[in-house]
Amino acid sequence: MSFSERTQVFLVAAYYRHLTEQFGEKGKAAFLHGVKHYGMQRGSRMAQRAIAAGETLDYGTFCRYGEWVSSDEAVRTGTANRAEIVSITPDFESHVTVCPWYKAFQDFGAAEAGALYCSCLDEAINQGFNGDIQFRTVQTKHHEDCCIFRVYNSGMTAETDTRKHMEFVKGFDYHCAHTFYGIGEMVRGIFGDEGENLCRQVLKDFENEYGKEMADVIRSYEKENFNICPERK
């Protein structure tokens, strides 16, 4: 077993389940706030790298500085992210027809958590990168046959270089740890000691599902500052 989109979804779904069971609507609001916090941290790290390189924070740059590629597991099982660009200018629009996160939410019986997570995550990442980018999640596979993402007045052209800087792509061990600690930071901030206990339970659920070795990998990131680029520490 290795870290992948599925292990990330397990953590997200566990947070949603415990938060809503314990705190009801307040738990749902905390979940949404935590996901947005996590996404904005990711976007900010991307912007930090781009600014250091002297690049403009436009949508083309956003594409180049993304931190993820499909996991080996997703590629091997044929569930890797599959997107079709249907428009470039003036609005850039892509349709995602295959998504490993969507499949994992369905497999775990966590469709409600997935719908809320996917409704705000990508917008939060863009917000953290540059709030002036008019990125919108138009729809997701949780309700329709594909996800639609649209960037209004994107400034993109057919010649825009969107090739990813692979040196900044992080493994899913990092992404899973960031998911756990990013959402958990808000859970603890909102609910105090009860939130701390809830975070411990989420990690215990993860350990029960995937084993102590993988849980210890997440624990090894406990002191990580996810606000900044790890390679610049």
Side-chain angles (χ1 to χ4, degrees), residues 175-191:
H175 291 306
C176 287
H178 182 205
T179 298
F180 175 72
Y181 289 109
I183 297 176
E185 187 174 21
M186 295 298 100
V187 171
R188 292 192 301 272
I190 294 167
F191 297 116

Side-chain angles (χ1 to χ4, degrees), residues 36 54 56 83 88 96 112 126 131 138 145 159 184 187 192 194 202 204 215 221 228 232:
K36 290 179 178 179
T56 303
I88 295 177
V96 175
E112 189 173 280
N126 276 270
V138 178
D145 61 346
E159 288 73 40
V187 171
E194 289 180 289
V202 168
K204 183 63 176 176
Y221 283 92
I228 62 174
R232 297 195 181 278

